[in-house]
Amino acid sequence: MKIAVILGSNSDVPAGAWTRQEIPTDYGLVPLWQSPSSADPQHPQLALLLRHGEQHELLPHLVNFRGNFWALKHWGCQAIVSFSVMGVLQAGIPLTRPILFDDIFFPSNQLPDGSACTLFDQPAQAGRGHFLVEHPCSPTLRAHLRRLLPHPIEGGIYGHVFGPRFSTRSELTYLQKLGITAISQTSGPEFVLAGELGIPYALVGFGVDYADPDPGRRSSLADLNQNLRQWSLTLPQIVQALLTYDWPAPLPFDQGYFYHIEHDLPRPASIAQNP
């Protein structure tokens, strides 16, 4: 079982025997950190992908989404667990606990450069098609994560907002009234690209501040940084749990259906020619 773990802000490769490798893609070289193969066939091999690059060199609008996902495909990824630190919109949701989302709000379907969020950016590209979404996050993968995450908050709607700026009061009010649980600037495109590749995907949030429309009710900078430090302590425990969990293989792709133009689209009937 080969599982990719996507890490966001204030995340780093945990201590241990991780091997760095660079995967060539049409969108540049993508570094991955690979765990040693386990002698137990039920334990997975992990590949860590730093969404923001080493030393957080990439702001959200510079993340190489297409390159990242082609690299995971080339590595042989069979499931993706994505983590992101987030601003929580709903006051009743406690901070510093993993949120296991079951829905995603990403209506723009755009990458940060404004282009359509898809791996198929060329006419007649092999494998092209449409992702028919039923569940943005894999129900089966979520069920396994529910068992291994520390005190997860089950369910919720993730909202993607474009960075690198933060949201205005009116934007936060709008998202809050839509029932969005928490927001960040990087995870929306991921479920789309995973769906196009047919890879089980799940998103886990970690609330580090309250993104309240009223500035007086927002978390202080000191609290935000303290919660980010807490995430850096919680993450290695989660990675270790992922490494030692008894995963069944393979996991099903149960987010929906990918409609392959080359295989699923019926051929048009022949048009009779006039004599």
Side-chain angles (χ1 to χ4, degrees):
M1 186 69 172
K2 300 183 77 171
I3 298 177
V5 178
I6 301 177
L7 302 178
S9 296
N10 213 43
S11 303
D12 204 350
V13 179
W18 297 86
T19 302
R20 188 184 192 275
Q21 59 177 301
E22 293 186 336
I23 307 293
T25 75
D26 290 344
Y27 303 92
L29 292 173
V30 175
L32 300 178
W33 284 261
Q34 185 172 289
S35 68
S37 297
S38 173
D40 188 334
Q42 294 298 107
H43 292 176
Q45 184 171 39
L46 298 189
L48 304 183
L49 189 155
L50 300 182
R51 188 188 288 120
H52 294 284
E54 298 175 76
Q55 304 300 316
H56 207 290
E57 62 185 351
L58 304 175
L59 285 172
H61 65 293
L62 298 176
V63 173
N64 182 12
F65 287 101
R66 290 193 182 107
N68 288 347
F69 274 76
W70 280 125
L72 296 181
K73 176 70 172 178
H74 295 331
W75 179 70
C77 175
Q78 296 170 281
I80 298 170
V81 182
S82 178
F83 294 94
S84 179
V85 296
M86 300 190 177
V88 173
L89 284 168
Q90 307 301 329
I93 302 294
L95 302 181
T96 68
R97 281 179 57 190
I99 306 171
L100 193 51
F101 294 102
D102 57 12
D103 204 357
I104 292 176
F105 182 78
F106 180 50
S108 69
N109 201 62
Q110 287 180 309
L111 294 173
D113 64 1
S115 63
C117 179
T118 178
L119 293 169
F120 306 110
D121 56 355
Q122 298 298 322
Q125 186 172 342
R128 67 193 180 281
H130 305 283
F131 177 28
L132 281 64
V133 184
E134 294 179 7
H135 307 281
C137 297
S138 163
T140 302
L141 182 53
R142 289 179 66 250
H144 289 288
L145 292 172
R146 190 180 300 121
R147 300 184 188 109
L148 65 86
L149 290 171
H151 309 294
I153 299 166
E154 297 184 28
I157 305 171
Y158 166 77
H160 180 92
V161 295
F162 285 103
R165 71 166 175 86
F166 278 23
S167 304
T168 67
R169 285 183 295 173
S170 59
E171 290 166 346
L172 291 173
T173 299
Y174 168 72
L175 293 166
Q176 198 175 64
K177 288 184 177 180
L178 284 174
I180 307 298
T181 306
I183 56 175
S184 75
Q185 300 175 350
T186 49
S187 299
E190 295 178 349
F191 89 91
V192 180
L193 304 184
E196 291 187 341
L197 293 174
I199 300 174
Y201 171 88
L203 174 62
V204 180
F206 191 83
V208 293
D209 70 331
Y210 286 109
D212 196 286
D214 181 352
R217 293 199 295 264
R218 295 176 190 169
S219 304
S220 69
L221 181 59
D223 287 340
L224 168 63
N225 284 336
Q226 178 59 38
N227 293 335
L228 283 168
R229 284 190 285 270
Q230 179 59 50
W231 171 235
S232 68
L233 298 175
T234 302
L235 174 61
Q237 300 172 22
I238 294 176
V239 171
Q240 183 61 29
L242 289 167
L243 277 168
T244 56
Y245 184 75
D246 289 338
W247 293 92
L251 293 175
F253 174 70
D254 54 0
Q255 289 104 278
Y257 183 77
F258 187 76
Y259 191 95
H260 289 271
I261 295 298
E262 296 158 313
H263 308 299
D264 291 327
L265 186 67
R267 292 181 180 276
S270 299
I271 300 174
Q273 298 294 319
N274 292 326

